[in-house]
Amino acid sequence: MRRAGLCLVKVRRGTPIATGALKLFNKAMAVALFLAPFFPSEARDGISPGGDAMADVNADGRADFIWYESAGTLRVALSNGSTFSTSSTWSSTAFPTAYGVWFADVTGDGRADAIAVREYLDGGAIRVIVRRSNGSSFLPEEEWYSEVGWSGWTRFDFKDVSGDGKADFILNPNIVGGSGISVATSSGTGFNTRTAWTSVDFVAERHIYYEDVTGDGIADAIAHNTNSILVRPSTGSAFGTASTWLSVGFNGTKGVWFQDVTGDGKADVIVENTDGVQVRASSGTAFLGSGYWASSLGGNLPTWVADVTGDGEADIVYRYYAVSGVCPPFCPPVTTQWGRVRYSDGSTFLSATTWY
């Protein structure tokens, strides 16, 4: 498996390295080293070219690894429950987008589809484009939503907030005094006209998330603030009154996630810092006391929290690379990457296993 966007140039040993090749290698490594410590893995906005994501694209209940390559093409490495397979191309044509690409099941068949939000009419309108997953590739583009005259929607997401098994289109300006959260529910073949799901703004100092923290099978709206976490539970047709689920700061310099790591059907809050990974389990009405589930992971590429084994408990997936050899004479040096998984047993993350 390989990291999209990291380009290594092969040069025969014993010959001087071309200046252009060395520059290309140095540039690639500089980009990798710059991004590694400062690329938080919060599962929120769509990913940009060169990024990656995790979602179940073949409906086997296990999260797979997805690369949105620099050229806009898509590659997938499927999980078999103990390793990731060799990656394969799921879309050889570019999938352009203004806001990134999301992966969520909008059709209700259990397979995460590829979704893009695009602007047109000089930014005065948007389109939502879907490429359905058939379990082995992403199919041609389909327009699922368009709106002329839209403005101010700076935060998008695709999660099942109606409880029908299909991910819906969520829009939120995330500004004080804004129009609040609107939702365009999925019909399975398109997104319906959006309607207001809150009558007032719902703003996060850090980020907005949509995950099922109450355990009713419907994603709720979560505002992660510097010193608190607020939740608006979904009723299936609106987001209810906001309540404080945590009144102290719980922040991660390397990542923040809302995923079910305990296996009780409720998304917990997980943070990663340089000293390790902490979890606050959801009780259904609040986030409980924190505890360390893992010491420092040691990864120097983004971390993900996702259920790669299919047992209902989200696991830690992290990656790192090492550079060996001195340039010259070994130009470029050898870059090796590893992918590790630490399984959740419902109360801690177990010892690391190598998945690729």
Side-chain angles (χ1 to χ4, degrees), residues 229-246:
I229 298 176
L230 306 182
V231 174
R232 283 182 174 268
S234 172
T235 66
S237 58
F239 291 116
T241 303
S243 62
T244 301
W245 278 44
L246 187 65

Side-chain angles (χ1 to χ4, degrees), residues 32-345:
L33 290 168
F34 176 77
L35 289 179
F38 301 106
F39 191 87
S41 304
E42 288 109 331
R44 51 186 198 280
D45 296 335
I47 59 171
S48 301
D52 41 47
M54 298 201 71
D56 180 10
V57 295
N58 64 347
D60 64 357
R62 298 186 290 257
D64 308 299
F65 217 104
I66 309 162
W67 285 269
Y68 183 30
E69 298 187 297
S70 298
T73 52
L74 296 165
R75 293 179 66 84
V76 173
L78 297 174
S79 166
N80 64 15
S82 58
T83 60
F84 290 117
S85 67
T86 302
S87 62
S88 61
T89 298
W90 276 45
S91 168
S92 58
T93 57
F95 193 38
T97 175
Y99 294 92
V101 171
W102 291 257
F103 299 91
D105 178 15
V106 295
T107 63
D109 63 0
R111 298 188 290 251
D113 310 293
I115 310 154
V117 178
R118 297 175 185 165
E119 294 182 348
Y120 67 108
L121 295 180
D122 294 325
I126 58 168
R127 289 190 176 104
V128 178
I129 306 298
V130 171
R131 297 190 67 167
R132 304 184 192 216
S133 168
N134 66 3
S136 58
S137 65
F138 292 114
L139 301 178
E141 295 184 2
E142 304 172 15
E143 182 177 297
W144 274 46
Y145 184 87
S146 65
E147 182 175 347
V148 177
W150 79 288
S151 64
W153 305 106
T154 61
R155 308 292 293 184
F156 304 120
D157 212 332
F158 297 87
K159 295 291 171 64
D160 179 15
V161 295
S162 60
D164 64 356
K166 299 185 288 287
D168 309 298
F169 179 32
I170 309 163
L171 307 90
N172 185 358
N174 196 39
I175 56 173
V176 176
S179 54
I181 304 174
S182 287
V183 174
T185 57
S186 171
S187 68
T189 57
F191 293 114
N192 300 312
T193 302
R194 65 177 174 86
T195 60
W197 276 44
T198 66
S199 58
V200 296
D201 59 58
F202 190 51
V203 180
E205 294 172 353
R206 297 176 70 87
H207 299 292
I208 292 280
Y209 300 81
Y210 302 92
E211 300 292 347
D212 177 17
V213 294
T214 62
D216 62 359
I218 309 174
D220 310 295
I222 308 160
H224 182 212
N225 299 314
T226 303
N227 294 307
S228 67
I229 298 176
L230 306 182
V231 174
R232 283 182 174 268
S234 172
T235 66
S237 58
F239 291 116
T241 303
S243 62
T244 301
W245 278 44
L246 187 65
S247 56
V248 297
F250 195 55
N251 306 306
T253 57
K254 301 188 73 175
V256 177
W257 303 265
F258 290 84
Q259 294 289 324
D260 179 15
V261 295
T262 60
D264 64 357
K266 298 184 289 285
D268 313 296
V269 56
I270 306 105
V271 300
E272 181 188 4
N273 289 291
T274 55
D275 62 346
V277 180
Q278 292 176 272
V279 173
R280 286 182 179 268
S282 169
S283 69
T285 57
F287 293 114
L288 306 177
S290 65
Y292 278 89
W293 278 40
S295 57
S296 178
L297 299 178
N300 51 16
L301 289 170
T303 303
W304 290 97
V305 179
D307 181 10
V308 294
T309 62
D311 63 357
E313 297 163 345
D315 312 293
I316 284 279
V317 182
Y318 65 101
R319 297 172 297 149
Y320 60 96
Y321 61 86
V323 179
S324 60
V326 178
C327 181
F330 305 111
C331 297
V334 176
T335 300
T336 306
Q337 297 187 52
W338 294 269
R340 296 281 177 89
V341 173
R342 295 187 64 163
Y343 304 130
S344 169
D345 68 358

